[in-house]
Amino acid sequence: MYEAFSSIPKTQRTNHTLQCVVRQEGFSDTKEAKMLVKGSDVLNKAMKRRYAVGAFNVYNLESLQAVIRAAEKLKSPVIVQTSESAIYYAGLGVIGKMIEIAAFSTKIPVVLHLDHGKNITLIRKCLDLGYTSIMFDGSEFNFRKNL
């Protein structure tokens, strides 16, 4: 399925084309797929209604599938996180699109979050790819610069 999406010229790729590829390849059993949502939207709703939202780091397809299946079973929104090391291991395009495709194949809201991002270049690439939440980690800076 990833090959089907990547065969579309980059200038013609949109959320709509990805959604069509996902449905055509049989990965989605619903016309009500939520896609990726902003972390602030999910967390604001959770705070207002007084419930927690789980955030889980994934590093491969199997861990992603487990997180999505558990969230579906609980009918709960979920924050799917990637670390810099997971991105370096799997590749940003692969892991990012893998999570995006998983979000297309479920009815639950999915947040794509970079956890403890320290590399500004990588953070920008994650934003360009479509990450909907970023946690910048400034722990390497002194207190004054961190504020």
Side-chain angles (χ1 to χ4, degrees):
M1 198 271 307
Y2 180 75
E3 291 80 22
F5 181 69
S6 41
S7 68
I8 299 168
K10 195 170 188 175
T11 56
Q12 296 176 7
R13 292 181 196 171
T14 65
N15 287 343
H16 176 72
T17 57
L18 179 57
Q19 193 171 20
C20 291
V21 169
V22 168
R23 288 190 183 136
Q24 181 181 25
E25 297 290 322
F27 287 92
S28 178
D29 60 354
T30 175
K31 294 179 182 171
E32 301 292 323
K34 295 285 187 188
M35 189 49 189
L36 295 174
V37 295
K38 288 194 259 179
S40 58
D41 292 345
V42 167
L43 294 176
N44 287 337
K45 185 175 180 181
M47 284 192 336
K48 186 182 271 187
R49 296 189 180 172
R50 301 181 57 81
Y51 62 86
V53 178
F56 306 93
N57 280 55
V58 299
Y59 49 91
N60 61 20
L61 178 61
E62 292 77 18
S63 60
L64 173 61
Q65 289 173 324
V67 167
I68 295 296
R69 286 181 186 145
E72 287 175 333
K73 186 174 182 176
L74 296 171
K75 296 184 171 110
S76 174
V78 67
I79 300 170
V80 178
Q81 304 181 145
T82 60
S83 64
E84 287 188 357
S85 61
I87 290 169
Y88 296 139
Y89 168 74
L92 177 59
V94 171
I95 200 161
K97 289 300 177 185
M98 188 171 63
I99 296 167
E100 188 176 351
I101 289 165
F104 262 116
S105 63
T106 185
K107 293 180 183 179
I108 60 164
V110 177
V111 176
L112 175 50
H113 176 76
L114 173 63
D115 193 32
H116 291 272
K118 294 180 179 182
N119 181 315
I120 297 296
T121 303
L122 181 61
I123 290 170
R124 286 190 178 118
K125 287 179 180 180
C126 287
L127 289 169
D128 290 343
L129 187 74
Y131 275 60
T132 58
S133 177
I134 303 283
M135 187 276 199
F136 173 71
D137 184 340
S139 62
E140 293 178 354
F141 300 117
N142 64 41
F143 181 75
R144 193 181 281 288
K145 191 170 183 178
N146 222 325
L147 294 178

